[in-house]
């Protein structure tokens, strides 16, 4: 598998991929072991003309914003996201830092052609990885930790980072690789591909996120290097979002409240916490009130001119409100999520190229989230409260339809008639029943590929085409996870509380049962102390004073050793033998505690299931 693709996955905040125990690579799912062959159903490559045209918005360019001291590098190194520099009297301010050092370093080099002043501050508009993971290209971690350089974010930044980027990192990471097309072959099915909001490549090097040291609560006026700024929380596209107003230059730095040159993802298919459309509309209205002369999003090209900016912001927020309000209108009439997807579309009079073009978000997948957010996951039919397991349902339906061969024949007939959605749905039942049914897998892959080639929306295109490769055997999600677990986790980027918190979502109730064990961690170099209590198959993690610890086992170690234990670079037994880890209390309890965690990464297939 392409190592570049494995490395890039870590840059989406995949900080939960390696927990204390290593995974067993010898366990390979039967379907994953099927030899990759050649799909007999040939689908010639194609791509919509608008997909190719849309790439012009993501050309690698460095803009000066009017005659202001603000510079915007659009997709540096064909990366993912913009980097913005403000030149002050005696220093620079960096807004957002893209996904990886290799992209951020290109922007940093370009900025150095403009100014050799030191960086005084980095501002994260929000916690998503494509805005924070290149910080190390601009500043040293030690300077941030000492307070010499401000790293500024919203007051809820760390909480949102943990909840959205870390605890669901394994599955979100896989889904993101599919959605962003990072596993596609650029010579074949990856031709003409770009991520319409943002760029091309997530990057191949480990990110260098540096934690914030200054937090904005609601609103704050700051002057840094002589630059006056108003920072205010908006909380639309992400709950931790900040916008930045430069009153002396009439410049609005919008972050992702303007989510690039496309209709936005009100719900991201890679997986996110629910996005609040009402807050998003309110955020844009707040920015509209400033009557900016220049608008600089963190994705795509900047805009200039009050009239153009006001028109764009108005139709952009109206498209969000229209989607939201029409969903609620129909929900109240009894429409279900699928009903909403088929009933609502943006009207022609709201078409503004590119801002309301469904290249990133789509009405069909956005409206389903409103149903879940406001009503429930359940559509109201009691027959669907406790439905048959997916496998049993597939078996019964296939039997009812006349058996495997009859269903396959109908699916093949549908494919030949270019009724690809029906072909994909029929073969899905066969694949679910038998993952080694290669004929069904190839047929489903071909149907998805043809749908994908015809799709301009880059999120959908990424999922269709990468899922086709999964079905054919060239993409195996489990293998990606295992490789990332070994190569790309950097625990030093996390606070100790965040690192220990990752253990919570790895407790295996079958192994933990009703065990009750208290383990105290005392970090000799940082002075931190935490008690980790296993009870009722959950972990309760609390900061403690050493004098207050009442533990079955107390571990005394430095933070670097804790990082090594999480990485699997050293075992607990070896650390004890080498006298690096001091253990007071029952080693049998410590062993029992370690056995309570799930070390199997699972088989997170998206289509082969």
């Amino acid at each position: 598998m392409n190592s570049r693709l494995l490395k890039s996955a870590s840059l989406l905040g995949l900080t939960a991929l390696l927990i204390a125990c290593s995974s067993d690579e010898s366990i390979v799912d039967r379907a994953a072991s099927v030899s990759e062959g050649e799909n007999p159903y040939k689908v010639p490559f194609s791509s919509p003309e608008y997909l190719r045209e849309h790439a012009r918005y993501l050309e690698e360019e460095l803009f000066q914003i009017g005659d202001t001291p603000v510079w915007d590098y659009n997709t540096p190194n064909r990366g993912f996201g913009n980097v913005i520099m403000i030149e002050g009297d005696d220093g620079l301010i960096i807004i957002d830092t893209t996904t990886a050092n290799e992209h951020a370093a290109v922007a940093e080099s370009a900025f150095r052609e403009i100014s050799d002043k030191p960086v005084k501050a980095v501002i994260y508009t929000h916690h998503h990885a494509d805005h924070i993971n290149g910080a190390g290209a601009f500043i040293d971690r030690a300077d941030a930790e000492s307070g010499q350089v401000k790293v500024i974010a919203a007051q809820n930044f760390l909480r949102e980072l943990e909840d959205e980027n870390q605890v669901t990192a394994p599955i979100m990471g896989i889904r993101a690789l599919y959605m962003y097309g990072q596993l596609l072959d650029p010579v074949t099915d990856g031709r003409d591909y770009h991520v319409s909001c943002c760029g091309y490549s997530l990057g191949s090097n480990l990110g260098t996120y540096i934690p914030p040291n200054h937090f904005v609560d609601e609103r704050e006026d700051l002057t840094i290097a002589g630059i006056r700024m108003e920072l205010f929380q908006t909380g639309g596209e992400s709950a931790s979002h900040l916008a930045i107003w430069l009153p002396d230059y009439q410049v609005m730095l919008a972050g992702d409240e303007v989510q690039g040159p496309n209709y936005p993802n009100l719900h991201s298919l890679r997986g996110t916490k629910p996005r609040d459309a009402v807050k998003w509309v309110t955020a844009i209205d707040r920015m509209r009130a400033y009557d900016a002369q220049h608008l600089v999003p963190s994705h795509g090209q900047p805009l200039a001119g009050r009239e153009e900016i006001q028109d764009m912001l108005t139709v952009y927020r109206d498209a969000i409100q229209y989607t939201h309000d029409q969903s609620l209108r129909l929900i109240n009439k009894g429409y279900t999520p699928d009903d909403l997807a088929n009933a609502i579309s943006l009207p022609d009079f709201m078409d503004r190229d590119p801002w309301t073009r469904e290249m990133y978000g789509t009405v069909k997948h956005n409206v389903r989230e409103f149903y879940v957010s406001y009503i429930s996951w359940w559509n109201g039919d009691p027959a669907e409260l406790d439905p048959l397991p997916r496998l049993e349902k597939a078996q019964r339906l296939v039997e009812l339809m006349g058996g495997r061969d009859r269903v396959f024949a109908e699916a093949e007939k549908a494919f030949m008639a270019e009724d690809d959605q029906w072909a994909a749905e029929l073969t899905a039942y066969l694949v679910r029943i038998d993952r080694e049914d290669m004929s069904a897998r190839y047929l489903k892959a071909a149907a998805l590929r043809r749908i994908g080639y015809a799709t301009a929306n880059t999120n959908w295109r990424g999922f269709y085409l990468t899922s086709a490769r999964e079905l054919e055997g060239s993409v195996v999600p489990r293998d990606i996870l295992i490789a990332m677990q070994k190569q790309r986790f950097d625990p030093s980027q996390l606070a100790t509380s965040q690192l220990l918190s990752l253990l919570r979502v790895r407790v295996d109730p079958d192994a933990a049962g009703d065990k009750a064990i208290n383990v105290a961690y005392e970090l000799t170099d940082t002075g931190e102390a935490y008690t980790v209590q296993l009870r009722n198959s959950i972990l309760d993690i609390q900061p403690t004073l050493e004098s207050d610890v009442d533990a079955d086992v107390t571990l005394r170690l430095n933070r670097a050793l804790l990082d090594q234990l999480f990485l699997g670079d050293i075992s607990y037994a070896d650390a004890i033998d080498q006298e690096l880890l001091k253990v007071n209390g029952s080693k049998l309890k410590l062993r029992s505690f370690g056995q309570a965690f799930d070390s199997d990464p699972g088989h997170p297939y998206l289509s082969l299931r």
Side-chain angles (χ1 to χ4, degrees):
M1 184 169 293
N2 189 323
S3 62
R4 178 183 68 83
L5 303 176
L6 298 176
K7 293 175 181 176
S8 71
S10 68
L11 304 171
L12 294 163
L14 308 185
T15 48
L17 286 174
L18 183 61
I19 312 300
C21 304
S22 62
S23 61
D24 182 357
E25 292 185 63
S26 66
I27 302 174
V28 179
D29 185 87
R30 198 163 60 105
S33 66
V34 175
S35 298
E36 179 187 352
E38 185 175 355
N39 193 329
Y41 299 97
K42 303 302 180 186
V43 179
F45 176 83
S46 65
S47 60
E49 181 180 0
Y50 186 76
L51 175 69
R52 301 190 297 274
E53 291 177 351
H54 188 274
R56 69 185 184 274
Y57 296 110
L58 302 175
E59 291 179 2
E60 186 179 356
E61 299 177 83
L62 178 62
F63 299 94
Q64 183 177 9
I65 306 304
D67 58 0
T68 76
V70 182
W71 298 80
D72 175 23
Y73 203 140
N74 189 32
T75 62
N77 196 39
R78 288 171 62 85
F80 208 79
N82 297 0
V83 182
I84 300 157
M85 178 189 78
I86 309 171
E87 183 180 15
D89 296 337
D90 60 349
L92 307 177
I93 302 164
I94 302 298
I95 316 293
D96 289 337
T97 64
T98 190
T99 56
N101 264 30
E102 67 194 73
H103 302 319
V106 170
E108 196 273 343
S109 179
F111 295 156
R112 286 304 173 202
E113 294 293 319
I114 299 166
S115 175
D116 61 359
K117 296 173 185 177
V119 174
K120 295 287 189 177
V122 171
I123 302 175
Y124 298 138
T125 59
H126 58 295
H127 66 275
H128 291 163
D130 52 322
H131 298 261
I132 67 177
N133 272 355
F138 301 98
I139 62 173
D140 290 331
R141 177 179 288 265
D143 290 338
E145 291 174 346
S146 70
Q148 181 177 336
V149 175
K150 286 185 181 294
V151 182
I152 301 168
Q155 53 85 20
N156 59 344
F157 176 96
L158 292 177
R159 178 67 188 186
E160 294 300 321
L161 176 67
E162 180 177 340
D163 283 356
E164 192 169 64
N165 283 20
Q166 293 167 2
V167 296
T168 57
I171 187 60
M172 188 188 293
I174 291 297
R175 290 169 69 113
L177 288 178
Y178 279 53
M179 186 170 101
Y180 296 135
Q182 298 296 291
L183 301 174
L184 300 178
D185 181 351
V187 177
T188 56
D189 48 11
R191 280 180 286 165
D192 299 335
Y193 190 85
H194 64 275
V195 182
S196 66
C197 69
C198 308
Y200 295 86
S201 169
L202 297 175
S204 61
N205 296 322
L206 187 65
T208 53
Y209 157 71
I210 295 174
N213 57 25
H214 183 100
F215 296 93
V216 174
D217 189 358
E218 293 298 332
R219 181 190 175 281
E220 184 173 353
D221 291 324
L222 289 173
T223 300
I224 300 174
I227 300 294
R228 293 197 305 137
M229 299 179 290
E230 179 187 339
L231 292 85
F232 55 96
Q233 285 191 260
T234 51
E237 193 267 355
S238 71
S240 68
H241 207 289
L242 289 174
I244 302 128
W245 171 244
L246 307 180
D248 295 332
Y249 305 105
Q250 301 293 290
V251 173
M252 178 63 70
L253 302 168
D256 277 9
E257 298 295 21
V258 176
Q259 200 184 48
N262 38 236
Y263 171 72
N265 257 343
L266 307 180
H267 166 72
S268 180
L269 295 174
R270 75 172 186 270
T272 59
K273 293 168 65 178
R275 291 174 172 172
D276 190 325
V278 174
K279 284 186 177 180
W280 203 332
V281 167
T282 301
I284 296 174
D285 284 344
R286 289 185 67 182
M287 292 190 291
R288 290 168 69 209
Y290 284 83
D291 200 23
Q293 180 63 47
H294 300 280
L295 182 79
V296 185
S298 287
H299 295 295
Q301 299 163 339
L303 277 78
R306 288 183 174 87
E307 185 175 340
E308 181 177 353
I309 291 169
Q310 286 292 329
D311 179 70
M312 186 280 289
L313 289 177
T314 299
V315 74
Y316 195 79
R317 57 89 68 208
D318 287 356
I320 295 173
Q321 183 176 336
Y322 180 91
T323 311
H324 170 271
D325 292 358
Q326 292 305 309
S327 295
L328 290 182
R329 180 177 72 88
L330 296 180
I331 285 171
N332 283 322
K333 290 177 178 289
Y335 282 55
T336 66
D338 289 345
D339 296 332
L340 296 175
N342 290 315
I344 301 173
S345 60
L346 291 178
D348 291 342
F349 56 75
M350 207 175 283
D351 182 31
R352 295 288 194 286
D353 184 8
W355 306 105
T356 57
R357 295 292 177 92
E358 295 177 84
M359 295 291 292
Y360 195 54
T362 74
V363 172
K364 280 186 178 293
H365 79 248
N366 284 341
V367 296
R368 289 179 166 94
E369 166 141 319
F370 296 135
Y371 193 94
V372 174
S373 297
Y374 278 94
I375 302 299
S376 174
W377 57 267
W378 176 49
N379 66 14
D381 181 356
E384 297 185 31
L385 275 175
D386 187 18
L388 293 173
R390 285 162 54 90
L391 176 57
E392 182 180 347
K393 181 178 179 180
Q395 290 169 331
R396 289 192 184 192
L397 286 174
V398 168
E399 181 180 358
L400 187 65
M401 288 187 282
R404 183 266 176 200
D405 291 345
R406 175 68 182 274
V407 173
F408 182 83
E410 287 298 317
E412 190 173 48
K413 179 181 175 182
F415 176 76
M416 295 305 178
E418 299 189 6
D419 187 0
D420 296 306
Q421 181 62 36
W422 185 230
E425 291 187 23
L426 287 175
T427 49
Y429 292 125
L430 303 181
V431 170
R432 191 166 302 149
I433 292 169
D434 181 4
R435 287 181 177 170
E436 289 191 61
D437 187 339
M438 291 306 299
S439 296
R441 285 170 58 171
Y442 284 142
L443 184 54
K444 183 180 178 183
L448 294 180
R449 181 168 285 120
R450 192 153 61 194
I451 296 171
Y453 283 161
T455 301
N457 182 280
T458 58
N459 288 351
W460 287 32
R461 190 178 181 92
F463 274 111
Y464 280 126
L465 299 182
T466 309
S467 292
R469 301 195 77 201
E470 177 191 302
L471 287 158
E472 291 168 341
S474 62
V475 167
V476 183
R478 179 186 173 90
D479 289 353
I480 296 169
L481 281 181
I482 290 173
M484 289 192 298
Q485 285 175 331
K486 287 186 172 183
Q487 298 175 22
R488 309 313 302 165
F489 176 57
D490 184 3
S492 69
Q493 293 190 357
L494 300 178
T496 303
S497 60
Q498 291 175 305
L499 190 63
L500 292 174
S501 183
L502 299 183
L503 292 170
R504 292 174 48 194
V505 296
R506 295 302 298 273
V507 175
D508 181 350
D510 291 334
D514 61 354
K515 291 179 181 179
I517 304 171
N518 284 359
V519 178
Y521 287 81
E522 297 179 3
L523 301 185
T524 56
D525 54 342
T526 67
E528 297 171 285
Y530 290 87
T531 297
V532 179
Q533 184 179 57
L534 175 67
R535 67 172 188 272
N536 296 323
S537 290
I538 63 99
L539 282 189
D540 185 1
I541 302 170
Q542 299 292 338
T544 55
L545 297 174
E546 291 185 19
S547 58
D548 294 337
V549 171
D550 180 17
D552 299 302
V553 187
T554 298
L555 308 178
R556 301 191 78 248
L557 69 169
N558 61 35
R559 174 56 200 264
L561 179 59
L562 181 63
D563 292 347
Q564 287 182 291
L565 291 167
F566 265 73
L567 285 169
D569 290 346
I570 188 170
S571 69
Y572 278 82
D574 287 344
I576 294 169
D577 288 343
Q578 297 174 32
E579 299 185 349
L580 300 173
L581 175 63
K582 307 293 185 184
V583 179
N584 294 323
S586 170
K587 292 182 180 178
L588 287 177
K589 287 273 191 178
L590 177 60
R591 178 181 177 85
S592 180
F593 178 79
Q595 291 171 339
F597 297 96
D598 183 357
S599 61
D600 182 2
H603 305 281
Y605 295 113
L606 301 192
S607 287
L608 189 57
R609 62 183 182 88

